[in-house]
Amino acid sequence: MTGLKISEVAEKSNVNIETVRYYEKRQLIPEPPRTRAGYRIFSLEDVDRIKFIKRSQELGFTLNEIKQLISISDDKTQVNSEEVLQYSVQKIDEIEAQIKDLEKIKKTLQDLTVQCSGSRSSDGRCPIITSLTGGDR
Amino acid sequence: MTGLKISEVAEKSNVNIETVRYYEKRQLIPEPPRTRAGYRIFSLEDVDRIKFIKRSQELGFTLNEIKQLISISDDKTQVNSEEVLQYSVQKIDEIEAQIKDLEKIKKTLQDLTVQCSGSRSSDGRCPIITSLTGGDR
DNA sequence: ATCCTCCCTGTACTTAGGTACAAAGTCAAG
DNA sequence: CTTGACTTTGTACCTAAGTACAGGGAGGAT
């Protein structure tokens, strides 16, 4: 037969062996059949699914979200397109919010470093510190 | 005397009581003196320090980095200004890198959703799914 | 004296996504 | 028929930054 052992599926999908078992436990991949001795037998579809998981993670989806995504895509009710779309649009919004937060933080830090470079306090202490310390009291 | 109890210092600095004890354990605040009965006695400086920690966290510093920041600012060698500045510049770079990553992810997701809205596959499955599944094999 | 609220310590639990390890069983080659 | 590489399970550990809780002591008001 053409089944793959766990080390083979792990190598082909570029993850750790333990990760494969972990995904099985989290129900992100189906329970594979076993040999008489209890060894897991995987298929190339399992490799695809693990790659799907990894690509989705890179796009910012959590494992729970990916599980949803998988169940939607396994669901053959023709309307799943909308659901996946909705999911992605929501994720885009979240990413945009994150970016905005980071921009704001960056601006604050930049302002502080400009102050710090320009005007040294007389005691030699960085204005970043004093500004953070006494800030809003 | 004018010392603060742990619940008072927690309230004044807007953190949980447990967080105060946690910061003490992590050595982010100095070990406070105790009453005969073992109650911690805090000062207003402790409140300031906790606020400093919280503000720094908002700017993306980890507790370990904040510990460094504190030790630099406690250090009276006149050159600490440079060190803090360096730290902040590095943090700005990290934040910029994060923003770039997120922009890239956002673009990928946006491209996928455009495809998804425009062209439905004949089987009614969202192109996002098929693109993620078969991606780079 | 009793009650309620606060405080103490130490330990375990949380989220997310894994990684590591021990003890035991299996498979194939030499 | 033994050796070495592989697999199995279960459990514990990791980071980060806390939160929760159990069991006991303390302080002050009634």
Side-chain angles (χ1 to χ4, degrees), chain B residues 37 40 43 51 57 63 78 92 95 97 118 125:
Chain B
R40 289 170 181 80
S43 68
K51 285 187 181 174
Q57 275 188 312
L63 291 186
Q78 291 104 314
I92 289 169
I95 289 167
R125 307 187 74 205

Side-chain angles (χ1 to χ4, degrees), chain A residues 48 55 73 82 120 132, chain B residues 55 82 120 125 132 137:
Chain A
D48 280 348
R55 271 192 297 272
S73 79
E82 317 294 331
R120 286 290 161 76
L132 285 169
Chain B
R55 270 192 298 271
E82 317 293 331
R120 283 289 163 75
R125 307 187 74 205
L132 285 169
R137 202 163 26 92

Side-chain angles (χ1 to χ4, degrees), chain A:
Chain A
M1 45 81 180
T2 53
L4 303 170
K5 278 191 279 188
I6 195 164
S7 60
E8 294 166 336
V9 81
E11 200 197 351
K12 274 182 195 295
S13 41
N14 287 308
V15 298
N16 197 302
I17 289 178
E18 317 276 356
T19 303
V20 178
R21 285 198 272 253
Y22 178 68
Y23 284 174
E24 182 188 335
K25 206 175 67 185
R26 289 280 301 254
Q27 307 204 64
L28 287 158
I29 51 178
E31 263 189 64
R34 306 279 185 131
T35 65
R36 275 151 293 116
Y39 284 27
R40 289 169 181 82
I41 308 165
F42 294 95
S43 68
L44 287 171
E45 271 140 58
D46 295 316
V47 175
D48 280 348
R49 171 151 298 185
I50 294 169
K51 285 186 182 175
F52 168 79
I53 295 166
K54 281 296 162 192
R55 271 192 297 272
S56 303
Q57 275 188 312
E58 281 167 19
L59 293 179
F61 292 97
T62 67
L63 290 187
N64 276 335
E65 287 168 337
I66 294 165
K67 198 169 164 182
Q68 288 287 316
L69 237 31
I70 288 169
S71 80
I72 292 168
S73 79
D74 282 351
D75 170 13
K76 295 292 183 300
T77 57
Q78 292 103 315
V79 294
N80 68 62
S81 203
E82 317 294 331
E83 277 187 84
V84 175
L85 190 55
Q86 251 186 316
Y87 237 97
S88 302
V89 168
Q90 189 192 313
K91 185 54 67 176
I92 289 169
D93 286 348
E94 285 169 24
I95 290 167
E96 265 169 6
Q98 268 186 64
I99 290 172
K100 258 189 199 130
D101 282 353
L102 287 174
E103 300 278 17
K104 199 177 143 200
I105 289 165
K106 183 181 150 189
K107 179 145 187 3
T108 306
L109 267 180
Q110 275 174 337
D111 290 351
L112 287 176
T113 59
V114 168
Q115 282 172 43
C116 191
S117 305
S119 72
R120 286 290 161 76
S121 310
S122 53
D123 61 354
R125 308 188 74 206
C126 181
I128 292 177
I129 295 295
T130 49
S131 122
L132 285 169
T133 306
D136 61 3
R137 201 158 30 90

